[in-house]
Amino acid sequence: MVVFLPNLAIGLIVFLVLYLFSLGAGRGIARLAARSGQPPHIAKIFSRLGRGVVNLFGAMIALSVVLPSVDAASVFGALGIGSVAVGFAAKDIFQNLLAGILLLVTRPFHVGDQIVSGPHEGTVEDIQIRATLLRTYDNRRVVIPNSELYTNRVVVNTAFEVRRIHLMVPIGESDDIGKAGATILDEIAKIERVLQYPKPVVLLQSLGDFSLNLEVRYWIKPTVMREVVESTDEVYRAITPALTAAGIDMPFPTYQVLFHNQTETADGNRTLQREGWPPSTKNHSPSRPGQSNATRSNSGSQA
């Protein structure tokens, strides 16, 4: 044991020197990343990567000093890094690591952006090497592996300064489309959250079963979800009473129900029942619209 003490002391000194060198290398990498225009959090991550690589090599050199019979090949062989099983097990780790570095370099989104990834939507809190931290709008944290963000579709809601919102407003089929559109635009112009350029527009989107569906398009700034929700609330609160005051109908579903084989001109023959109804033993003759059962009975008795 005493024989290893000199090698152990030398190994610790070598590791300490390389550790101090890693700190200087990390600061140098951070300054270089800052000069290249990288954000502070990205410069910090690259600094950590540089320190980690230097510390890894320092540990291997110190180990070879303490144990001269141990070289890099034997260390990797002992750890099983070259084995196929460990390679498959570490595949996801290295995949997320590489995807994290590519996300930091390409920067499709930044910390603070609001994104949609699959079923998750929220604000980016941090972009780490292995995963990205997302805070949902109801204040929950979602940890998304970087490989999913890099290989799948991601919607960045705050990528641009302005964002278009569209709302559906139904009106009656007999209402004046031009009057309804002018009323909506007049009310929208009074809302501060709604930008007047690009100009809001009202388009006839479709002909519904019970209504004419108008699509209201307007733009907002900033593009965060809070502005989307609050602007939607203000627009609906403004146009609903305005349309009512202008005589524009806000329709609701209307159905026409016909019983048995009833038509618009006659009650039909009650002996011919549809599925699920027992056939009637009484003879009900067809009648004119508005004629009640009592009237038909009196007519039959007089005859």
Side-chain angles (χ1 to χ4, degrees):
M1 182 65 181
V2 180
V3 179
F4 291 99
L5 290 179
N7 292 341
L8 180 60
I10 297 174
L12 291 176
I13 293 174
V14 171
F15 180 78
L16 179 61
V17 171
L18 291 176
Y19 175 76
L20 296 176
F21 176 77
S22 69
L23 296 179
R27 287 192 294 268
I29 294 174
R31 287 194 296 267
L32 182 62
R35 291 178 182 177
S36 63
Q38 299 292 338
H41 68 280
I42 295 181
K44 185 177 181 180
I45 291 176
F46 280 118
S47 175
R48 291 177 179 176
L49 282 176
R51 292 201 307 266
V53 172
V54 175
N55 288 330
L56 178 60
F57 280 103
M60 294 177 58
I61 294 174
L63 183 61
S64 63
V65 171
V66 176
L67 301 174
S69 60
V70 178
D71 55 5
S74 61
V75 171
F76 283 116
L79 294 177
I81 296 179
S83 64
V84 177
V86 176
F88 278 109
K91 179 178 67 68
D92 294 336
I93 298 177
F94 289 110
Q95 184 178 3
N96 290 324
L97 176 63
L98 179 59
I101 295 175
L102 292 175
L103 287 176
L104 292 173
V105 173
T106 58
R107 291 187 291 176
F109 52 84
H110 305 82
V111 174
D113 278 337
Q114 294 183 348
I115 66 173
V116 181
S117 176
H120 306 296
E121 181 176 358
T123 304
V124 178
E125 282 191 322
D126 192 12
I127 304 175
Q128 300 177 352
I129 294 298
R130 189 193 67 85
T132 296
L133 304 183
L134 194 70
R135 185 178 64 184
T136 62
Y137 301 131
D138 55 356
N139 205 29
R140 294 183 296 170
R141 174 173 291 175
V142 181
V143 181
I144 305 177
N146 288 330
S147 59
E148 294 185 8
L149 293 176
Y150 190 77
T151 56
N152 297 328
R153 295 178 178 87
V154 177
V155 180
V156 185
N157 290 330
T158 53
F160 303 101
E161 293 184 355
V162 295
R163 176 179 175 180
R164 191 186 72 185
I165 309 299
H166 60 91
L167 307 177
M168 298 304 300
V169 178
I171 64 174
E173 295 181 349
S174 60
D175 289 331
D176 189 344
I177 299 176
K179 182 179 179 181
T183 302
I184 293 173
L185 292 177
D186 290 341
E187 294 301 320
I188 289 181
K190 303 175 184 178
I191 301 176
E192 295 182 359
R193 297 179 187 270
V194 178
L195 301 178
Q196 296 307 311
Y197 183 81
K199 294 183 178 180
V201 294
V202 178
L203 305 174
L204 178 60
Q205 195 271 342
S206 63
L207 304 178
D209 295 334
F210 316 102
S211 63
L212 302 175
N213 298 322
L214 303 182
E215 182 179 4
V216 182
R217 296 180 178 180
Y218 62 90
W219 298 77
I220 62 171
K221 177 183 179 180
T223 58
V224 295
M225 181 56 65
R226 177 177 57 83
E227 293 292 328
V228 175
V229 175
E230 293 181 359
S231 66
T232 301
D233 174 75
E234 290 187 17
V235 170
Y236 273 133
R237 287 177 182 270
I239 66 177
T240 300
L243 290 174
T244 302
I248 305 298
D249 186 23
M250 304 292 286
F252 52 87
T254 303
Y255 299 93
Q256 183 180 20
V257 181
L258 300 178
F259 296 97
H260 310 305
N261 62 335
Q262 182 184 11
T263 65
E264 294 182 355
T265 58
D267 282 347
N269 189 349
R270 296 295 180 88
T271 60
L272 301 177
Q273 306 291 342
R274 292 189 176 182
E275 293 82 3
W277 293 85
S280 175
T281 57
K282 297 181 180 180
N283 184 14
H284 296 276
S285 60
S287 61
R288 297 184 302 275
Q291 184 179 10
S292 62
N293 292 333
T295 304
R296 293 199 302 270
S297 301
N298 293 336
S299 300
S301 61
Q302 293 177 359

